[in-house]
């Protein structure tokens, strides 16, 4: 159950997407998302779809893995689609009176529902591509580099990146710990599976208290270990492996901007 | 009695991570035994003990505890967990209540016992592990490491299981804490004549001092089993699978090879002292 957590899951590979400079990849993902929110017409959607499919193919990430990240969002999809389908005013194509309300589907609503669902799907796929092709270390490194200019206004960019690295690193550890405590309490007759919501919530206490305590203990140990090795934050800290922009990254910039331009042109000129 | 019949266990079956942890385990443990389970990391010990109280189910084969099939599809899990108490590694990490008393009462409360019965059991099991009355009203997090562990063990004992399984009960404790736990195990064994106690250990000294029978696991199979003497006289075999015999046995083996006439089955310091004293003429008070 807990092994299915996909946050920070990284599929190692050697595709161009894997090799890209991480900060740039983050910026280009943001560009991807921004363009996605301008896309509305069928033509630009078609172009955007081609672009997305191309990215997925280049990345070499199995479609199955990509869709696994979409699965937990399924309810949000359905919910958004339904709200859009029924709530958008316009040309009515089907209606059903219930008491004082009338349930109606409009042409515009149908279009908006589909558009929103596809937009959400691409949003998740785009960001999943980023996390699936970038190791957590590279990712936080990239975020740190992007936040660096903000140091001038006292944003602790290195500390933020370090916190994220540690948080991601400890997800599997905590998942394992949860599993262990759950088993131990089950052996003492705890029941996590049956009963109503309140009973189940109460049943979580024997699980959560030890979990929190162990998380704090780990944090404490880690802090001590880091201090013992004279760790003191970002100032003047260098890296063993510096990542730099390469010709590949320049190509990626050109392609991304071109793709964005084409999509936006298609959107606003037609 | 615990009986395992042709038990196989495969982790994450049907995925690329598939790995067989147990191969065709056949086992019989009689009532009242005090058994040590030893083996290298990854030899399947932890998997095996989790099978005994149905926390995990075997891929094939069955396990009977007192004639009840704990591996059956419709097994009564509540009953099984009452019969087989499992103390995990570092059990103090599962403490969660405000007071030691409440924490020990967690198991019996889940069993749905009356308040009076729960109270009796809490006090009895606390006394069994050597916790004093004054400890009961304290927060479990204010106890020392050894006390915490004993409180956690009391939590399982309060369910009055017929079978008590402890996974590395002495791991990470100081010598005093170790001895306390081992003495508790011995005392439990002496006072409950038909309780089965199984403990997993990496310390051959602990095994030699405490257990009566030893089961040796290696790569998911039972390598050998028998009395402490029977197992520890197979030093070579144990060393081949990455285990060892107690250090004192290694020492007396060397002495014997050097020409001293010492018996073969020496595995505790006490016994070694006596044997050496008998040889050189002294009283053997080590």
């Amino acid at each position: 159950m807990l092994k299915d957590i996909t946050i920070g899951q990284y599929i190692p590979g050697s595709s161009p997407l894997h090799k890209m400079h991480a900060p740039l990849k983050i910026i280009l993902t943001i560009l991807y998302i921004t363009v996605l929110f301008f896309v509305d017409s069928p033509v630009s959607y078609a172009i955007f779809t081609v672009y997305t499919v191309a990215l997925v193919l280049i990345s070499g990430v199995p479609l199955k893995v990509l869709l696994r990240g979409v699965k937990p969002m399924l309810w949000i999809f359905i919910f958004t689609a339904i709200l859009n389908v029924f709530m958008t005013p316009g040309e009515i194509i089907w209606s059903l009176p219930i008491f004082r309300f009338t349930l109606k589907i409009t042409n515009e609503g149908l279009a908006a529902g589909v558009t929103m669902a596809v937009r959400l799907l691409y949003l998740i796929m785009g960001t999943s591509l980023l996390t699936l092709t970038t190791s957590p270390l590279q990712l936080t490194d990239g975020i740190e580099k992007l936040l660096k200019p903000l140091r001038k206004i006292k944003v602790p960019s290195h500390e933020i990146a370090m916190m994220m690295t540690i948080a991601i690193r400890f997800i599997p550890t905590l998942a394992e710990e949860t599993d262990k405590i759950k088993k131990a309490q089950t052996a003492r007759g705890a029941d996590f599976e049956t009963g109503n919501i309140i009973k189940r919530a109460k049943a979580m206490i024997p699980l959560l208290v030890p979990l929190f305590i162990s998380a704090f203990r780990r944090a404490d140990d880690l802090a001590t270990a880091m201090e013992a090795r004279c760790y003191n934050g970002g100032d003047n800290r260098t890296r063993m492996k510096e990542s730099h922009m390469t010709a590949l990254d320049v190509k990626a910039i050109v392609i991304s901007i071109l793709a964005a331009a084409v999509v936006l042109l298609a959107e606003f000129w037609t | 009695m615990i009986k395992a019949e042709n038990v196989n266990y495969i982790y994450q079956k049907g995925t690329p991570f598939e790995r067989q942890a147990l191969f065709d385990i056949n086992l019989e443990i009689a009532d009242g035994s005090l058994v040590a389970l030893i083996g290298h990391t990854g030899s399947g010990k932890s998997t095996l003990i989790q099978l005994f109280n149905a926390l995990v189910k075997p891929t094939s084969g069955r396990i009977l505890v007192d004639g009840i099939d704990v591996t059956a599809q419709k097994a009564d899990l509540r009953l099984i967990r009452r019969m087989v108490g499992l103390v995990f590694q570092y059990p103090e990490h599962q403490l969660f209540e405000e007071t030691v008393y409440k924490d020990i009462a967690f198991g019996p409360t889940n069993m749905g016992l009356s308040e009076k019965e729960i109270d009796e059991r809490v006090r009895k099991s606390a006394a069994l592990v050597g916790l004093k009355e004054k400890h009961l009203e304290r927060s479990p997090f204010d106890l020392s490491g050894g006390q915490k562990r004993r409180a956690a063990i009391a939590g399982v004992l309060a369910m009055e299981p017929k079978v008590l399984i402890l996974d590395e009960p002495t791991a990470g404790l100081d010598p005093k804490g170790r001895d306390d736990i081992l003495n508790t195990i011995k005392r439990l064994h002496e006072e409950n004549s038909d309780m089965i106690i199984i403990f997993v250990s990496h310390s051959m000294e602990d095994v030699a001092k405490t257990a009566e029978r030893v089961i040796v696991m290696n790569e998911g199979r039972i390598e050998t089993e028998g009395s402490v003497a029977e197992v520890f006289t197979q030093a070579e075999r144990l060393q081949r699978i990455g285990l060892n015999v107690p250090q004192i046995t290694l020492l007396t083996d060397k002495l014997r090879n050097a020409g001293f006439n010492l018996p073969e089955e020496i595995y505790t310091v006490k016994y070694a002292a006596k044997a050496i004293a008998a040889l050189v003429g002294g009283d053997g008070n080590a």
Side-chain angles (χ1 to χ4, degrees):
Chain A
M1 157 201 78
L2 288 158
K3 288 185 189 90
D4 300 335
I5 294 174
T6 50
I7 303 169
Q9 200 182 47
Y10 165 61
I11 309 275
S14 56
S15 75
L17 249 61
H18 282 86
K19 285 183 190 149
M20 269 170 71
H21 190 48
L24 180 72
K25 215 186 319 185
I26 297 172
I27 294 177
L28 293 182
T29 309
I30 295 171
L31 177 71
Y32 174 94
I33 295 168
T34 318
V35 171
L36 177 58
F37 276 91
F38 282 106
V39 173
D40 206 27
S41 73
V43 182
S44 44
Y45 254 120
I47 301 171
F48 201 86
T49 306
V50 172
Y51 180 47
T52 308
V53 170
L55 284 179
V56 173
L57 289 178
I58 291 170
S59 76
V61 173
L63 197 63
K64 218 170 118 191
V65 176
L66 205 56
L67 290 178
R68 206 165 57 202
V70 177
K71 226 166 111 192
M73 302 295 204
L74 206 61
W75 282 110
I76 301 180
F77 269 40
I78 294 171
F79 195 65
T80 335
I82 288 177
L83 273 187
N84 271 295
V85 165
F86 289 109
M87 305 299 257
T88 316
E91 189 189 332
I92 295 165
I93 51 172
W94 179 87
S95 66
L96 176 75
I98 306 168
F99 299 116
R100 258 173 270 168
F101 304 101
T102 315
L103 208 57
K104 47 185 181 283
I105 296 177
T106 63
N107 238 338
E108 285 79 0
L110 219 51
V114 173
T115 311
M116 274 319 272
V118 174
R119 188 173 284 167
L120 274 177
L121 177 73
Y122 286 174
L123 181 70
I124 294 165
M125 277 174 57
T127 43
S128 298
L129 263 187
L130 172 70
T131 53
L132 286 170
T133 60
T134 320
S135 74
L137 205 64
Q138 283 179 313
L139 202 61
T140 46
D141 192 18
I143 291 168
E144 182 179 352
K145 283 221 169 87
L146 289 176
L147 289 178
K148 216 166 193 176
L150 294 180
R151 273 199 98 86
K152 291 227 166 62
I153 54 164
K154 297 261 158 78
V155 174
S157 58
H158 173 79
E159 284 75 2
I160 292 174
M162 190 45 133
M163 277 159 64
M164 289 177 64
T165 313
I166 293 172
I168 292 171
R169 157 66 185 79
F170 276 97
I171 290 174
T173 312
L174 286 179
E176 213 173 272
E177 187 96 11
T178 312
D179 209 43
K180 220 187 89 186
I181 297 170
K182 200 172 172 186
K183 272 186 181 165
Q185 305 297 31
T186 310
R188 291 211 281 164
D191 182 1
F192 298 104
E193 263 99 35
T194 56
N196 58 28
I197 286 187
I198 296 168
K199 209 181 149 205
R200 278 200 210 190
K202 270 193 182 157
M204 294 304 275
I205 294 172
L207 180 62
L208 289 179
V209 173
L211 194 62
F212 269 97
I213 290 166
S214 99
F216 281 120
R217 192 184 47 235
R218 273 181 207 289
D220 225 28
D221 288 351
L222 187 66
T224 312
M226 284 167 84
E227 264 176 18
R229 292 193 225 167
C230 301
Y231 172 84
N232 58 359
D235 293 334
N236 304 323
R237 220 176 150 75
T238 54
R239 290 182 183 281
M240 194 152 135
K241 281 183 188 162
E242 280 290 350
S243 136
H244 293 288
M245 297 261 278
T246 59
L248 175 80
D249 293 299
V250 179
K251 272 186 222 161
I253 296 176
V254 174
I255 293 172
S256 296
I257 292 179
L258 266 179
V262 171
V263 172
L264 290 180
L265 276 179
E267 179 64 40
F268 292 112
W269 274 17
T270 51
Chain B
M1 191 177 78
I2 298 180
K3 200 170 174 191
E5 293 171 351
N6 310 320
V7 172
N8 284 285
Y9 186 75
I10 301 170
Y11 268 109
Q12 303 192 311
K13 198 178 161 108
T15 72
F17 307 105
E18 184 176 309
R19 193 175 62 82
Q20 186 151 1
L22 292 175
F23 297 85
D24 202 32
I25 301 285
N26 284 290
L27 198 62
E28 255 190 66
I29 300 173
D31 281 351
S33 335
L34 176 51
V35 184
L37 190 59
I38 61 176
H40 218 254
T41 312
S43 59
K45 302 172 304 230
S46 293
T47 310
L48 183 63
I49 57 175
Q50 288 182 29
L51 287 172
F52 287 153
N53 84 339
L55 273 176
V56 292
K57 300 237 165 173
T59 312
S60 67
R62 38 178 223 156
I63 292 171
L64 301 166
V65 178
D66 264 2
I68 296 170
D69 187 353
V70 303
T71 51
Q73 210 44 255
K74 291 212 156 182
D76 182 354
L77 293 177
R78 287 172 72 97
L79 179 75
I80 293 162
R81 307 241 155 95
R82 273 162 86 157
M83 276 197 327
V84 184
L86 182 51
V87 179
F88 276 83
Q89 243 177 71
Y90 297 102
E92 61 273 24
H93 290 177
Q94 71 191 18
L95 298 171
F96 69 99
E97 276 287 9
E98 294 155 51
T99 65
V100 174
Y101 183 96
K102 281 190 191 167
D103 211 290
I104 299 176
F106 181 65
T109 310
N110 284 332
M111 288 164 65
L113 300 175
S114 73
E115 222 155 284
K116 192 170 153 274
E117 175 91 345
I118 292 173
D119 186 71
E120 269 170 26
R121 286 192 177 197
V122 170
R123 290 180 198 285
K124 194 174 146 202
S125 47
L128 267 175
V129 297
L131 285 176
K132 301 197 177 72
E133 284 283 316
K134 63 171 185 189
H135 291 132
L136 288 178
E137 291 314 314
R138 282 208 209 148
S139 159
F141 305 107
D142 291 339
L143 300 179
S144 75
Q147 285 170 336
K148 270 189 207 169
R149 182 154 312 172
R150 280 183 278 147
I153 293 175
V156 174
L157 281 179
M159 296 173 78
E160 300 195 343
K162 282 217 62 186
V163 180
L164 178 68
I165 305 172
L166 305 107
D167 193 354
E168 290 202 46
T170 59
L173 290 182
D174 56 28
K176 164 93 172 52
R178 272 184 114 80
D179 285 344
D180 284 347
I181 298 279
L182 292 177
N183 287 334
T184 304
I185 292 176
K186 269 191 162 168
R187 203 168 57 238
L188 278 171
H189 172 63
E190 281 153 16
E191 286 171 17
N192 299 276
S193 54
D194 59 352
M195 186 194 236
I196 296 177
I197 302 179
I198 304 171
F199 72 100
V200 174
S201 181
H202 273 128
S203 159
M204 300 307 134
E205 279 73 25
D206 288 0
V207 172
K209 248 191 282 183
T210 316
E212 289 172 352
R213 261 186 84 197
V214 183
I215 298 171
V216 185
M217 304 263 313
N218 182 37
E219 290 177 353
R221 292 183 172 84
I222 291 177
E223 174 77 24
T224 178
E225 59 169 316
S227 70
V228 174
E230 280 163 8
V231 170
F232 282 147
T233 41
Q234 309 178 47
E236 254 171 57
R237 188 169 182 185
L238 290 177
Q239 276 161 350
R240 204 181 59 236
I241 61 168
L243 294 172
N244 222 329
V245 294
Q247 280 168 0
I248 192 68
T249 311
L250 289 178
L251 177 71
T252 50
D253 278 354
K254 272 195 179 152
L255 285 173
R256 196 173 41 251
N257 288 339
F260 291 93
N261 185 21
L262 287 167
E264 240 180 77
E265 64 289 345
I266 293 177
Y267 37 83
T268 63
V269 177
K270 244 189 204 162
Y271 187 24
K274 259 189 208 149
I276 293 172
L279 203 65
V280 297
D283 63 356
N285 278 325

